[in-house]
Amino acid sequence: MTAFGFPVGPVALLDEVGLDVAEKAGGVMHEAFGERMKPAGALGRMLGATRLGRKNGRGFYRYHEGHKSGVDKSVYPLLGVHPVEAHDDLVQRRLVYSMLNEAAMACSEGVVRSPRDADIGAIFGIGFPAFRGGPLRMIDDVGPGRVVETLYQLQEQFGERFRPAASLLEMSRKSGRYYPA
C-alpha cells in the first residue's frame, strides 16, 4: 500500500497503533455497523498470544530496541496461514476498492456531512494518499461505472464484502459525481 501512496501498510499500522486498540476499535465499528464490519479473528489470536505490536515488541513484526526488524514468521502458524506470492495490483485493488465502497456508503448513510468531509477525514485520519484527493474524489476520477465494475469482479472472486454500495450503483447509472466537473 505504500506503493499506492499510503505512509505505511495496514499490518504495520496495526502494530503501531497496538493490536489491543485495533481490536477495541473493531468491536465498536462492528457494534455500530453490523456484519459488514465484523472484525477478523486474527486480532483475537494475536492478543491471546500476548502480541500487542510495537508497544510490547511482539506483533506481526519483530522489534529490536523499539525498531521494526522484519516480519515475525512465528505469526504464520499462530494465524494458520502460509505466505504466498501476492500480486501487488490485486492486493491494492482489494484494499483500496473496499475503502472506496465504504466511503460511498458513509456518504450515502449520512455518516459524513459531505464528500469533502469524507475525503479530508480519510487523508488526515487514515493516511489516504493526499495526491489522490480522497476516496470519493478517486471515485470521480476513476469513474463510478469503472469502480462498480471492479467491485463486481472482486465480489465474484472474493465474496459479498465487495458488493457495490447501492449509492455507487445509482451514481453509475446516472453518470453522477461527488464533485462538480
Side-chain angles (χ1 to χ4, degrees):
M1 292 307 291
T2 56
F4 184 80
F6 280 87
V8 296
V11 175
L13 182 60
L14 285 171
D15 264 13
E16 290 295 326
V17 167
L19 302 180
D20 54 337
V21 173
E23 183 181 57
K24 175 71 173 168
V28 169
M29 296 296 285
H30 184 234
E31 188 175 311
F33 296 103
E35 284 303 301
R36 86 174 196 235
M37 290 288 174
K38 183 179 179 183
L43 288 179
R45 289 193 295 279
M46 295 288 283
L47 291 170
T50 64
R51 290 176 174 268
L52 301 177
R54 182 185 293 269
K55 69 175 78 178
N56 78 338
R58 299 186 70 225
F60 290 99
Y61 292 94
R62 293 186 323 268
Y63 295 89
H64 179 71
E65 297 180 6
H67 298 285
K68 187 166 63 172
S69 62
V71 173
D72 185 342
K73 293 181 181 176
S74 69
V75 169
Y76 299 138
L78 175 66
L79 298 180
V81 298
H82 306 287
V84 295
E85 185 67 32
H87 296 283
D88 290 349
D89 180 59
L90 179 59
V91 172
Q92 286 177 0
R93 268 187 290 131
R94 289 178 69 177
L95 293 170
V96 170
Y97 278 78
S98 64
M99 281 187 241
L100 300 181
N101 203 33
E102 192 59 39
M105 284 187 245
C107 198
S108 69
E109 294 171 0
V111 173
V112 294
R113 288 182 303 180
S114 69
R116 184 176 181 269
D117 285 353
D119 285 341
I120 289 171
I123 291 166
F124 290 110
I126 63 168
F128 197 92
F131 71 91
R132 296 186 187 275
L136 299 177
R137 175 69 71 183
M138 186 173 165
I139 290 170
D140 280 357
D141 290 346
V142 170
R146 182 82 173 135
V147 171
V148 165
E149 180 183 319
T150 300
L151 285 166
Y152 275 139
Q153 290 167 355
L154 291 168
Q155 180 185 4
E156 188 175 303
Q157 273 187 282
F158 302 106
E160 287 301 302
R161 68 178 179 247
F162 291 101
R163 176 183 296 281
S167 61
L168 269 178
L169 293 171
E170 184 68 16
M171 185 176 281
S172 175
R173 280 193 285 274
K174 293 182 175 181
S175 298
R177 299 178 53 85
Y178 285 102
Y179 296 94

